[in-house]
Amino acid sequence: MPRLPVAALLAGLLVGLVAPPAAAALRAGAATVDITPARPAALWGQMHTRVSTGVASPITATILVLESDGDGGAGGLTTFVACDLVAIPEAALEAIRSRVAASIPGYPVERIVASATHTHTAPVLLEGVYEIPQGVTGPTEYVEFLAGRIAAGIVEAHGARRPCTVGWGMGHAVVAHNRRSVYADNSAVMYGATDRTDFRMLEGYEDHGLDALFVWDAAGALMATAILVACPAQEVEGDGRIDADFWHPVRGAIRAAHGDGVHVLAWCGAAGDQSPHLVFRKAAEERMRRLRGLSRLDEIARRVVAGWEEARAGAERERHADVPLEHRADRVELPRRTVSEREFELAREKIRELSASPGNATLVWWHGGVVARWERQQSGDVPPFRTEVHVVRIGDVAIATNQFELFTDYGVAMKARSPACRLRRATRRPRHLPPQSPRGAGRGLQRRGGEQRGRPRRRAGARGAHPRAARRALPPGPLTPERGRRGRHPPCPARSPAPPPPPGRPRPTRPGPSAHSRTTRSCAA
C-alpha cells in the first residue's frame, strides 16, 4: 500500500471529526498528583548541569478523563495528562500506559495524551543529556516515580467519573513575547538586545489569545478546566529550584476564587519562538509591576486568570451535557531534514573544541546529534521521523497534538484555517520547528546568546523532521506572497511604493529575506 502524504493523513483526521457523530451524555473525572521528587534532582532545560537546591513551588500532573455514553464504555474514554515538565519522552509515556493497563484491564491506554508546559525548572527525563553527580535523582529513577504517580492519578480520575457539562471560551492574556531580535545586517539572535542602534524588528508574531475548556459537575460546580496559552512556562527558567513557573500562581488564584477542588490543566500552544521574558519596554513594564506590588510570576498569573475569567463568562452561557466526543490517533512518518557537509564540519569542530574542557557534556551531546545524522546519511540509513498524533473533538472544539516546538506562525495558520481551536502539546523531546519566512531576517536560524547566519543551529533541524512537516498538516498548495495560496486565497494586494524620504534624511532600511530562505506562507490574513 503506498504511503499517504502527511497532508492527506491529517486532513483525513480533521474531516472525519467534522462529520456529525451522534451527541451523547458525558461523564468526567479529574485528579491532580504531585510529581515533585523528594530528593535533589537534575533539572532539564539549560546547556549545563543543574541540581535542584530546593522547591520554589510543587510541580504537578493534572488528569482529565472524559467519557461519552455514545461510544460505549471504555471505548469512549479520552485521557488528558498535563504536566509541569520540559517534555515527556516516549519511554516515559509508555511507562505510564503500561502501569495503567495493569491497574485497569481494558483501559484504552492508546488514548492517553500527555503534555508538558515546557518549564525549565523540572527534572530531566532523558539519559545522556547531562553529567549527573552521585546521590542525585536521575532520569531513570524519576521516570519510574513519575509513571507511578501519574498512573495512580489516572486510576483516581477514572474512578471519579460522574455526569458533567462542558463549555469552551476564549479570552486574551499578554504572556508571550517573540524572543528573536532582527538586526540591520539580516541576522537574528535569540534574546538579542533590542536597545541596539541596528535593531530593526522582532522576527515573528505573538498570539495573545487564551483558549479554555471547562467541565462542571451535575450540580454546576466547576470540576476542571484546561487553559492554553502560546507560551512556555519559562519566566524563572535559569533558577536552581524546582518550580512550576507562572502556572503555580494561576492555579492558586483559580482555586481561591472557585474552590480547592478545581483541577487546572496547563497547555502550551505553538510557541517555539516565544518566551515570557520581556524583550523591550522593560522599564515601563517593571514600573507598573512594582506599582501593583506583584512579582513577575504573579503579574503573568494575573493576566492569565483575567483572560480565563473572560473566557469563563462566555462559556457559562453555553453549557453542554451531550456533545460529540471523538478521538483519533495515528503514528505519522515525516521526512527528516538533510544535514549539509558544512554543518557536519562545524559540528565536528565544535565537539573537538568543547571536549578539551570539562563540564561540556551537554553541548557535546547536542552537537553530536548533527555528526551522528551526517554519518547515517553517508551510510544511507536515515529512517523517517515517526511521531504520534492525536486529534480530539469535544463539541465544537478540536484539540490536535504536535510534538515539535512549532513557531507561533504555524499555530496562527492552523487556527486561521480551521473553524475549531487546535492545540499543540509536546509528547516527546522538544524540537524547534521554525517556518522559512519572507519576513526573512534569520527565519530558521537560532543561536542562544549569539548570532548565526546561513544555517540552522537548532537540533530539531539536524535530528528532527524536515521544516515542511508542519506545513503538510495544512491544505496542499504553494504559499507565495505574490500569488497567495493557489486556488484557495485571492492574490495578495500589491504594496504601494513607500514615499520618498524628506530631503536630507536617509530612507530607513528593513531587512529582506535571507538568501537561504524560501517563502512558505501567504500574506493573506
Side-chain angles (χ1 to χ4, degrees):
M1 175 180 176
R3 189 179 67 185
L4 292 174
V6 175
L9 282 172
L10 294 185
L13 289 173
L14 294 170
V15 170
L17 292 178
V18 174
L26 293 176
R27 290 193 296 275
T32 300
V33 294
D34 193 328
I35 56 173
T36 310
R39 297 187 296 112
L43 302 180
W44 200 358
Q46 301 296 332
M47 286 298 179
H48 59 277
T49 303
R50 294 173 299 156
V51 176
S52 61
T53 58
V55 177
S57 66
I59 55 175
T60 60
T62 307
I63 298 101
L64 174 63
V65 175
L66 291 173
E67 181 182 26
S68 169
D69 285 340
D71 290 333
L77 282 173
T78 288
T79 304
F80 295 108
V81 182
C83 305
D84 294 322
L85 297 170
V86 171
I88 302 176
E90 188 170 10
L93 180 57
E94 291 308 313
I96 295 167
R97 288 172 170 170
S98 65
R99 283 164 176 74
V100 174
S103 300
I104 310 176
Y107 197 91
V109 295
E110 70 281 359
R111 294 186 177 188
I112 296 175
V113 185
S115 63
T117 62
H118 203 43
T119 177
H120 280 190
T121 46
V124 60
L125 278 72
L126 196 64
E127 294 285 357
V129 181
Y130 299 105
E131 292 178 311
I132 301 175
Q134 294 291 328
V136 171
T137 302
T140 301
E141 179 184 350
Y142 184 72
V143 166
E144 289 292 316
F145 165 78
L146 176 75
R149 285 291 177 92
I150 292 178
I154 292 175
V155 171
E156 178 185 345
H158 179 261
R161 288 168 299 151
R162 56 192 185 274
C164 69
T165 58
V166 297
W168 42 87
M170 176 186 171
H172 296 85
V174 179
V175 179
H177 304 279
N178 190 285
R179 59 180 176 170
R180 291 174 52 78
S181 302
V182 177
Y183 300 99
D185 64 354
N186 205 35
S187 64
V189 183
M190 188 192 303
Y191 297 122
T194 56
D195 56 357
R196 287 169 41 175
T197 57
D198 59 343
F199 169 74
R200 291 295 177 265
M201 66 179 182
L202 295 175
E203 187 182 64
Y205 187 66
E206 298 162 358
D207 182 2
H208 300 308
L210 179 150
D211 299 313
L213 177 70
F214 303 87
V215 182
W216 296 274
D217 65 17
L222 185 63
M223 295 170 50
T225 182
I227 309 172
L228 178 134
V229 293
C231 187
Q234 294 178 4
E235 177 60 29
V236 294
E237 63 175 319
D239 196 6
R241 297 176 296 172
I242 289 174
D243 201 331
D245 214 274
F246 60 79
W247 286 111
H248 178 69
V250 167
R251 294 181 184 116
I254 290 175
R255 287 168 181 159
H258 298 276
D260 292 337
V262 178
H263 302 279
V264 181
L265 291 83
W267 286 345
C268 178
D273 55 345
Q274 307 292 307
S275 167
H277 299 320
L278 298 172
V279 293
F280 72 101
R281 205 165 49 205
K282 296 179 182 179
E285 294 271 11
E286 288 299 293
R287 172 180 175 269
M288 294 307 299
R289 179 186 62 78
R290 289 193 301 270
L291 290 175
R292 295 186 186 105
L294 300 175
S295 69
R296 178 66 186 153
L297 289 180
D298 288 337
E299 170 63 23
I300 295 172
R302 179 187 69 83
R303 300 178 184 187
V304 172
V305 173
W308 178 84
E309 290 285 5
E310 179 185 349
R312 184 184 65 85
E316 284 193 328
R317 296 174 180 267
E318 280 191 353
R319 300 191 187 188
H320 305 271
D322 53 350
V323 296
L325 172 64
E326 194 171 1
H327 187 153
R328 306 285 182 85
D330 206 341
R331 292 191 67 84
V332 180
E333 291 188 353
L334 305 175
R336 292 180 185 263
R337 179 185 172 275
T338 300
V339 173
S340 70
E341 186 173 2
R342 176 59 174 162
E343 291 171 333
F344 161 69
E345 292 171 350
L346 289 171
R348 184 173 58 179
E349 181 59 33
K350 195 67 178 178
I351 290 172
R352 290 195 193 103
E353 175 189 330
L354 293 167
S355 298
S357 303
N360 291 326
T362 303
L363 288 168
V364 169
W365 168 80
W366 182 280
H367 293 286
V370 180
V371 173
R373 168 68 64 79
W374 168 263
E375 292 172 346
R376 298 191 75 171
Q377 287 175 189
Q378 303 317 297
S379 66
D381 180 26
V382 182
F385 188 90
R386 296 177 176 86
T387 182
E388 185 174 291
V389 177
H390 295 263
V391 182
V392 180
R393 176 182 181 176
I394 307 170
D396 293 338
V397 175
I399 304 166
T401 69
N402 189 297
Q403 86 171 65
F404 302 103
E405 290 188 62
L406 297 182
F407 278 30
T408 293
D409 284 355
Y410 283 121
V412 171
M414 291 179 189
K415 291 181 179 181
R417 293 170 184 156
S418 172
C421 166
R422 296 198 227 173
L423 316 179
R424 165 268 183 200
R425 282 94 52 67
T427 57
R428 289 201 285 175
R429 295 199 303 275
R431 301 168 187 269
H432 292 89
L433 193 57
Q436 296 164 318
S437 162
R439 283 195 74 181
R443 207 54 156 167
L445 309 181
Q446 296 189 69
R447 184 174 179 181
R448 189 184 298 272
E451 298 181 8
Q452 187 160 342
R453 306 181 190 89
R455 69 183 185 90
R457 176 209 64 93
R458 55 186 173 82
R459 184 167 160 262
R463 301 174 71 182
H466 193 282
R468 289 179 301 190
R471 195 175 76 219
R472 292 187 179 190
L474 304 175
L479 292 167
T480 64
E482 295 82 13
R483 295 179 297 171
R485 178 175 288 282
R486 184 172 60 199
R488 293 187 177 273
H489 293 289
C492 299
R495 294 184 178 181
S496 302
R505 180 178 299 175
R507 183 186 297 275
T509 61
R510 182 180 180 88
S514 55
H516 72 283
S517 69
R518 293 183 299 160
T519 299
T520 60
R521 64 176 182 176
S522 168
C523 63

